[in-house]
Amino acid sequence: MALKLFNTLTRSVQEFAPLDPARKKVGLYCCGPTVYDFAHIGNWRTFVFADLVRRTLEFSGYDVKHVMNITDVEDKIIQRVRENKTTLREFTGQFEAAFLDDLKALGCREPHQKPRATEHIPDIIALIEKLVTRGVAYKAADGSVYFSITKYQGCGCHYGQLLKLNLDEMRAGERVAADEYEKESVADFALWKARVPDDGDVFWPSPFGEGRPGWHIECSAMSMKALGETFDLHLGGEDLKFPHHEDEIAQSEGATGKPFVKFWLHGAHLLVEGKKMSKSLGNFFTLRDLLARGFTGREVRYLLLTAHYRETFNFTLDGLAGAKSALARIDECVGKLRELAASPTSNLQSPKPEEALVEKFTAALADDLNISAAWASVFEWVRETNKRIAEHAFSAAEAAAALTAWEKVDAVLGVGTKAETEVPAEILALAEARTAAKKAKDYKRADALRDEVKTLGWVIEDTPKGIKLKKV
Ligand SMILES: [Zn+2]
């Protein structure tokens, strides 16, 4: 089934087809974290969305190369390095490691390449030189190198591909040095920032003088190095559309004269408890904050995946509690299927997945990642499966087929099932002692041991295949 996605570039839902003539390889770039602090839940919405896109492409049979940069030098980082009186690498290293831990906790597949900006300074300089040579970048009196929007437009290029910009109000030659600025401040932006005392030790030599790269040029240089001058998919949060992504297009197309990206996908904003997240409102959460409240990465992932990526989503703690019970329903159903499939009559050679679930799920995703419909197909399957289990209508082979179907769709959802709880050695020893007492017909002792196990939080169930231990 053809996958359709909303392309910000054309403002329409389009059938996805990769550039690869063999229609197999797909290049995907997602702007990575700026490692100056722990990523918050709004950031995580974007990364879980990127993971969903990647998994959906892989599910559709594509061979995806997923690249995510690490922004380890830009305005905010330099400010924090200065405030913390530390070195750039030491400061960014701790947040990069924390980010990768959190990414794992959220069940995201690790990108194939994670280039750091500071390790691509020669590529960045080469790209800026190309822009200078082509006449679309210039060195200003402050020693920095800027991108000229007027010159770029003069080459027949279009600035404002991702959103409508009022370029008439722009005064030619006006410049913006900061990495982040508003739409109203559209102006020539910095590619290379000349060294200033506040930069401390953070500078590199270059043909334009000592300095450091601007944020936008980092992504153009690293994405094209990893994926080529034109590649399939570029993702990010919608807050990055302007200026970051628009500037990425300008720098890349200004240097190569070729289209930069075929599909631009943007994830919508996240509200927390109905409001824009802010530290002063007390609704600002990092993943670590949520884990400290007893939630799991799996529950957070589930909740972030319940809304369509183009809809503003209201993330709430009540919603997280709901995620816990929704996942418990899946776990219970899958657990029962596992028991049935493991029964002695089971034929586990190559169980055929249940067609209905996989078909509905695939159709939902193909429709611009309609995740609500995808989850609806999962919970309809859970209901039906539970009904059939209650009616004893499952053979072992059918249970195995149902499990295969679940595993297939979970390759996209990535929520897995709750890890089997390991039985502590102490409980196991008591349970074994009870079995021995029963064998010796010492029922009094057997009952006492069962009670002891119970007080420790475990229940012993006798089954035809022996005992089973369950956590209360
Ligand atoms: Zn970027």
Side-chain angles (χ1 to χ4, degrees):
M1 192 174 292
L3 173 63
K4 290 188 184 137
L5 298 167
F6 184 87
N7 187 355
T8 313
L9 208 54
T10 59
R11 278 83 157 163
S12 65
V13 176
Q14 287 180 291
E15 203 168 289
F16 174 75
L19 295 156
D20 174 20
R23 296 278 185 265
K24 186 79 185 155
K25 289 196 169 107
V26 172
L28 183 157
Y29 185 88
C30 180
C31 292
T34 299
V35 282
Y36 72 104
D37 207 340
F38 296 111
H40 58 64
I41 203 67
N43 302 134
W44 288 120
R45 183 179 192 197
T46 304
F47 296 112
V48 169
F49 157 58
D51 186 61
L52 174 70
V53 173
R54 170 185 167 172
R55 284 172 180 261
T56 302
L57 290 163
E58 287 173 343
F59 179 76
S60 310
Y62 294 114
D63 180 3
V64 182
K65 183 173 173 187
H66 177 189
V67 181
M68 180 196 72
N69 71 301
I70 307 278
T71 298
D72 60 350
V73 57
E74 56 82 78
D75 294 352
K76 289 193 292 287
I77 292 176
I78 291 182
Q79 190 191 334
R80 297 274 174 102
V81 167
R82 201 169 58 236
E83 287 165 2
N84 288 279
K85 297 189 174 53
T86 175
T87 64
L88 186 73
R89 185 70 199 112
E90 203 178 323
F91 179 75
T92 58
Q94 57 184 328
F95 292 114
E96 182 187 312
F99 177 87
L100 296 175
D101 284 348
D102 290 357
L103 193 71
K104 210 170 169 186
L106 285 165
C108 294
R109 287 185 179 156
E110 197 172 328
H112 302 101
Q113 283 185 19
K114 303 183 294 291
R116 290 188 192 119
T118 52
E119 288 168 0
H120 288 79
I121 301 293
D123 300 306
I124 294 167
I125 292 173
L127 186 58
I128 300 173
E129 281 188 301
K130 220 168 173 180
L131 290 166
V132 173
T133 308
R134 291 185 67 128
V136 289
Y138 61 95
K139 193 168 171 179
D142 64 359
S144 297
V145 180
Y146 288 87
F147 185 89
S148 165
I149 294 178
T150 316
K151 291 275 170 55
Y152 176 66
Q153 288 171 316
C155 303
C157 293
H158 180 198
Y159 190 77
Q161 295 191 30
L162 296 174
L163 76 171
K164 227 174 134 45
L165 293 170
N166 192 350
L167 292 161
D168 297 341
E169 282 178 10
M170 197 187 101
R171 277 163 292 181
E174 201 150 296
R175 286 184 283 272
V176 54
D179 283 330
E180 292 182 67
Y181 52 92
E182 296 300 316
K183 212 165 68 179
E184 292 66 36
S185 318
V186 56
D188 290 0
F189 55 91
L191 301 170
W192 187 260
K193 304 188 189 201
R195 183 183 171 193
V196 291
D198 271 354
D199 289 345
D201 292 337
V202 185
F203 67 89
W204 288 264
S206 87
F208 335 107
E210 286 174 343
R212 62 180 171 99
W215 170 37
H216 315 300
I217 194 78
E218 297 176 7
C219 275
S220 286
M222 289 185 279
S223 63
M224 290 198 289
K225 174 145 196 216
L227 298 169
E229 291 178 340
T230 304
F231 58 91
D232 296 298
L233 289 148
H234 196 312
L235 275 64
E238 68 178 353
D239 53 324
L240 293 190
K241 263 190 222 170
F242 185 86
H244 187 57
H245 289 162
E246 196 61 50
D247 290 352
E248 274 191 49
I249 295 176
Q251 296 158 153
S252 307
E253 300 192 355
T256 68
K258 296 176 192 163
F260 177 42
V261 168
K262 199 174 171 191
F263 272 78
W264 280 91
L265 267 56
H266 289 98
H269 285 301
L270 181 93
L271 298 174
V272 178
E273 305 291 345
K275 294 197 178 75
K276 198 173 166 216
M277 204 174 3
S278 93
K279 282 186 176 156
S280 61
L281 286 175
N283 66 345
F284 185 98
F285 295 123
T286 64
L287 179 65
R288 276 135 210 269
D289 296 333
L290 297 169
L291 299 184
R293 285 173 181 251
F295 296 106
T296 63
R298 182 178 179 237
E299 287 152 10
V300 176
R301 177 184 178 90
Y302 172 86
L303 187 57
L304 290 174
L305 275 181
T306 50
H308 191 268
Y309 72 98
R310 286 195 284 126
E311 276 167 18
T312 300
F313 178 56
N314 184 19
F315 187 96
T316 64
L317 293 178
D318 278 353
L320 264 182
K324 204 183 259 288
S325 52
L327 287 169
R329 280 171 62 205
I330 296 175
D331 290 343
E332 200 192 341
C333 176
V334 172
K336 281 192 257 175
L337 284 174
R338 286 211 176 111
E339 278 175 29
L340 284 169
S343 72
T345 55
S346 160
N347 172 14
L348 283 170
Q349 290 310 303
S350 56
K352 241 178 97 191
E354 273 186 354
E355 299 297 335
L357 170 62
V358 179
E359 268 173 27
K360 279 185 195 164
F361 184 83
T362 309
L365 283 179
D367 176 20
D368 190 27
L369 309 175
N370 186 345
I371 198 75
S372 320
W375 281 116
S377 70
V378 168
F379 286 106
E380 188 191 322
W381 172 81
V382 168
R383 255 191 322 276
E384 277 299 307
T385 303
N386 283 337
K387 211 171 116 200
R388 285 176 64 193
I389 292 171
E391 289 164 356
H392 302 289
F394 260 118
S395 70
E398 283 168 328
L403 272 179
T404 308
W406 162 250
E407 278 156 16
K408 214 164 168 199
V409 303
D410 188 50
V412 178
L413 299 171
V415 293
T417 40
K418 200 172 177 181
E420 294 288 323
T421 316
E422 263 189 47
V423 184
E426 182 197 6
I427 304 292
L428 269 180
L430 288 169
E432 276 164 21
R434 174 184 165 266
T435 308
K438 259 178 83 180
K439 254 190 192 157
K441 298 199 173 9
D442 184 353
Y443 297 111
K444 209 174 153 189
R445 179 165 159 72
D447 286 348
L449 285 163
R450 181 206 288 264
D451 290 344
E452 194 179 342
V453 167
K454 202 171 175 186
T455 55
L456 292 167
W458 291 78
V459 173
I460 303 176
E461 279 178 12
D462 293 301
T463 77
K465 283 184 283 171
I467 62 154
K468 227 168 91 180
L469 284 159
K470 270 193 178 170
K471 204 156 172 35
V472 184

